[in-house]
Amino acid sequence: MVDTDCGAGIPIMWASSAERGNARTTINALRRSALKDVSWLSMTEITAKLSTALADRYQLERHLGEGGMATVYLAQDLKHKRKVAVKVLRPELAAVLGAERFVQEITTTANLQHPHILPLFDSGEADGFLYYVMPYIEGETLREKLNRETQLGIEEAVKTTTEVADALEYAHQQGVIHRDIKPENILLHNGRPMVADFGIALAVSAAAGGRMTETGMSLGTPHYMSPEQATAEKDLTNRSDIYSLGSVLYEMLTGEPPHTGGSAQAIIMKIVTDDARPVTELRKSVPPHVAAATSKSLEKLAADRFESAAKFADALTNPAFMLSTVPGTTVISPTGSDWKRRFAVPLAVVAVVMTITSAWSWLRPQPEPPKPVIRYSLASTEEEAFQNRYGTSIALSPDGSLLVYVGAGEGGSQLWLRDRDQLHGSPLPGTEGAWQPFFSPDGQRVGFVTIARELKVVSLTGEPPHTVADSGLGRSGGSWGTDGYLYVSWRQNGSGLSRIPVAGGAAELVTTLDTAQAEVIHAWPDALPSGRGVLFTVMRMNNRSSESDEVAVVDLATGEHRPLVRGLLGRYVAGYLVFVRYDGSLLAAPFDQDKLVLTGPPVMLLVGMSVETGPDLALSPSGRLVYWSGIASGLAEVVWMDRAGRTTVIEPGWTFTPAPQSGPVLSNDGTRFALSMMGTDGSHVWIKEIGGPLSRLTLEGAFNLRPVWSPDDLSVMYRSDIGLSYGLFEKRADGTGPADVLLDIDQEVDDGLWSSDGQWLVFRTNAPRNVYAMRSGTDSVPVPLLTGEFNETAPALSSDGQWLAYVSDESGRPEVYVRSFPNVGDTKRQVSAEGGVEPRWAHSGQELFYKNPARQLVAATVRTEPAFTVLERRVLFTFPVGFANYFQNPRYDVSPDDQRFITYRSTGAGEGADAIELIVVENFLEELKAKVGN
């Protein structure tokens, strides 16, 4: 699917006959000169000429359609092996614009990244053609759906409008006005709207300058033009897009646009002079607040419409919204007495107001100018490198001057302290094995959770840390309240949050999981400065998708909690709730910390936060923000990467939402792969035949992860929470039969694998992270393999079953080791030299692959006779963006011939994309207040 309208043009409305004649003369001159080799060719000749011009980049497959501005082709992107839509501007328009100016102007829109905006892949000039390239999306346009159904369900219409409004809000904050919102430019992909041609109209207008009349075209489509656009005002604002979106909503609800007519001139005249009929006259079932919001979006005066797309969306979902006045249905002449009476103000009153305002401007204290908002990436040396682990790994002192972060240390991790005016950090003694740090209100101490689920506090003045609680902690962060309590996620007795005195003592229940709402975890607490309540995240089981997580608040006086917004993590600062959504966007809404309610709608602040390893940001009351950058899209695609790093999409057009730490894993014959995907009912294992169908394997539980094929490829083993305790289960790969329990012990089991002969089951436990094995039909209790004081993860057996590779943090950082198997005490060798994780054996047994800290795949050539020896370590390639750096389980697999690697990447992450970074925003409160308001 791709929109083929491309900005349908209309005749120039307000030009005189002489001006129209001059425009035609100019166009004819242009056609006879610069475009004589293009504009008079037939469609077949143009296609052939264009195919030749673009042959080194795109292979045109077929003509899709034409619009007022462009002709559209389906093409194959030769570099990235994907289908795209190539849109070629009409020759007469291209001649007026000029290649250099158009490419310069369209660059602004290329940086827009939003889940509901169709991205711009490429643009340029080729042999007289101006073109731009966007993804080719399977599905239909909203226009096609309306042509088929005429009207949409009210809930669907509102949902579509609010999601498009979210895209508009984001673009408007970047200074980009769409100028051509209409059903043809809204694509529907799996029920999700995506706005196409974002900023193209703006780029064309800016590139043309004052010469648009030479083309005989006007930007915009009559039925959806705002009054100011219809009257050719040059400086359009975001409220013009709001009018156009309101017109689209009107049509979705009533079956026709607000104004219709027999010609473009008649439609525009009605837009300027007539009020639209209230939607309830045409469809009585429309709720009053939806009708009121639609009416306000269609006000003639831009100032009378919603001031932002976000507020339009909020009104559509707020049953309490109503208009202060009832919109009329009479025709108002812009030159008549009604118009004058509506807007006339006595000059004497104006003079008095101006005098008072002038005097006050001289007498009142002048506010300090706003501080500049500054962004930069925070660098670190290899020794003190940041670790982006699951959940919160960074914390800021209240004044923003100190950053505590998780870095390398004994036990695999340690807290590091970095002062804002220093280039380097230093480790905090006594914090080995720490993560999830959080500051005390006075900024002198730091609380943290350890890998062993202990709660500890360390002082920054040199005193050794003390243990507040030695067990029972969840792995979802903590917060230091102004009341002297530490608020933490708890894992005992079905509780959600608990609080413990800083000096230690019994845990006191704060929240209880609402099992009727399928709540399974209360995570990421943030105690409010007022002491009135605590923000936290509600995670659910039966609807285990990150889209269903909610930021909630608990009233400490009553113990009752309620949801506030959909989101992964929320933080309070200076009267605002700032929260992260599943798509990597950061939003904020005014929040009353005494009444525990939102007092305004959420507003988009930024996109591109990394959420793959959990939400992670630190925000100080002083206004300093630190966060991990990443890919905004939560979708991924499966790819092949060869030894040189050349990437090929395995299933073009197929995307999925990956689950944490799972797959893809190839079958032994290389024809299928298994992976765990997030869905509306949790994480489930799916089987994908390469070039064939996709089928779901697991039906029970909410967390089904880390699939492994049996040696004969007939079944798949996986970790599941069936029965609320993590164990290993097995099910036939064709999906028939029940899920059989393979291993159910007292400890949590994280993953397992089979030896190639099927005799040994090797598995890893969690807390402590140890490795065990059992022989099928022989052992009744697990055989300990790696059960020392260090954390051992990611076990991998060689194809001959003689060697066990694994990751250990015994050196102070993760490294890949190899031991003989099953007698692990006979031989031990370190394979990685400077850090390594995620080992995979080559089928030949002569190589061991692993990932280094730079996100590169390393091939270690090994010899097993007469003794195990590493002969060479060679970097093959760098994994793509969206591939988190330090997972305990491999996120790639090796093809049967050892020449290719199956993995995944975030959609839109092409070759050469940047790695995930730690971003700092200074004076963030200035931007927050400017966007959200007081």
Side-chain angles (χ1 to χ4, degrees), residues 251-275:
E251 183 172 358
M252 287 191 287
L253 294 173
T254 68
E256 61 183 30
H259 302 286
T260 59
S263 65
Q265 291 92 334
I267 295 169
I268 287 180
M269 186 59 66
K270 289 183 178 180
I271 289 173
V272 174
T273 61
D274 290 2
D275 284 331

Side-chain angles (χ1 to χ4, degrees), residues 220-515:
T221 305
H223 292 100
Y224 312 98
M225 279 185 174
S226 65
E228 60 268 30
Q229 191 175 10
T231 54
E233 289 187 18
K234 293 183 179 180
D235 298 324
L236 299 180
T237 69
N238 62 317
R239 301 189 193 218
S240 179
D241 279 350
I242 292 171
Y243 183 97
S244 299
L245 180 57
S247 300
V248 173
L249 173 60
Y250 190 101
E251 183 172 358
M252 287 191 287
L253 294 173
T254 68
E256 61 183 30
H259 302 286
T260 59
S263 65
Q265 291 92 334
I267 295 169
I268 287 180
M269 186 59 66
K270 289 183 178 180
I271 289 173
V272 174
T273 61
D274 290 2
D275 284 331
R277 294 174 62 188
V279 293
T280 50
E281 289 187 9
L282 301 174
R283 190 173 180 179
K284 295 181 179 179
S285 59
V286 175
H289 70 283
V290 174
T294 306
S295 178
K296 185 174 178 65
S297 71
L298 296 175
E299 286 284 354
K300 295 275 182 263
L301 287 179
D304 290 341
R305 295 175 214 142
F306 293 100
E307 60 183 313
S308 69
K311 292 191 174 181
F312 182 20
D314 182 63
L316 287 172
T317 57
N318 179 11
F321 178 78
M322 64 180 64
L323 294 178
S324 56
T325 57
V326 179
T329 58
T330 58
V331 176
I332 302 175
S333 170
T335 58
S337 58
D338 288 340
W339 186 271
K340 292 178 180 178
R341 283 195 300 271
R342 183 177 180 184
F343 296 105
V345 178
L347 293 179
V349 175
V350 173
V352 171
V353 171
M354 290 181 64
T355 301
I356 295 173
T357 302
S358 177
W360 171 242
S361 67
W362 282 98
L363 296 174
R364 68 176 178 175
Q366 296 301 310
E368 294 183 6
K371 299 176 182 178
V373 178
I374 303 170
R375 287 177 167 83
Y376 55 90
S377 175
L378 201 60
S380 65
T381 64
E382 180 180 348
E383 179 185 4
E384 57 195 62
F386 311 116
Q387 290 189 10
N388 182 210
R389 295 196 166 204
Y390 176 72
T392 52
S393 61
I394 50 180
L396 281 170
S397 60
D399 65 359
S401 65
L402 300 176
L403 171 68
V404 165
Y405 65 91
V406 178
E410 295 182 13
S413 64
Q414 186 173 18
L415 294 185
W416 289 68
L417 177 67
R418 182 161 169 175
D419 199 303
R420 180 161 48 188
D421 65 358
Q422 298 296 317
L423 294 176
H424 301 284
S426 57
L428 281 175
T431 62
E432 292 77 13
W435 59 355
Q436 318 282 0
F438 52 94
F439 267 90
S440 62
D442 62 6
Q444 299 299 307
R445 290 170 290 176
V446 176
F448 60 93
V449 178
T450 70
I451 195 69
R453 301 187 189 278
E454 303 168 304
L455 177 62
K456 293 187 175 184
V457 169
V458 63
S459 172
L460 300 184
T461 58
E463 293 87 352
H466 73 271
T467 301
V468 178
D470 58 8
S471 63
L473 273 293
R475 293 181 176 172
S476 303
S479 180
W480 200 311
T482 56
D483 54 6
Y485 284 95
L486 303 183
Y487 291 84
V488 292
S489 178
W490 205 246
R491 287 174 52 87
Q492 296 180 353
N493 302 323
S495 63
L497 298 181
S498 290
R499 67 180 184 181
I500 308 173
V502 175
E508 179 184 346
L509 189 67
V510 175
T511 65
T512 302
L513 299 176
D514 187 348
T515 56

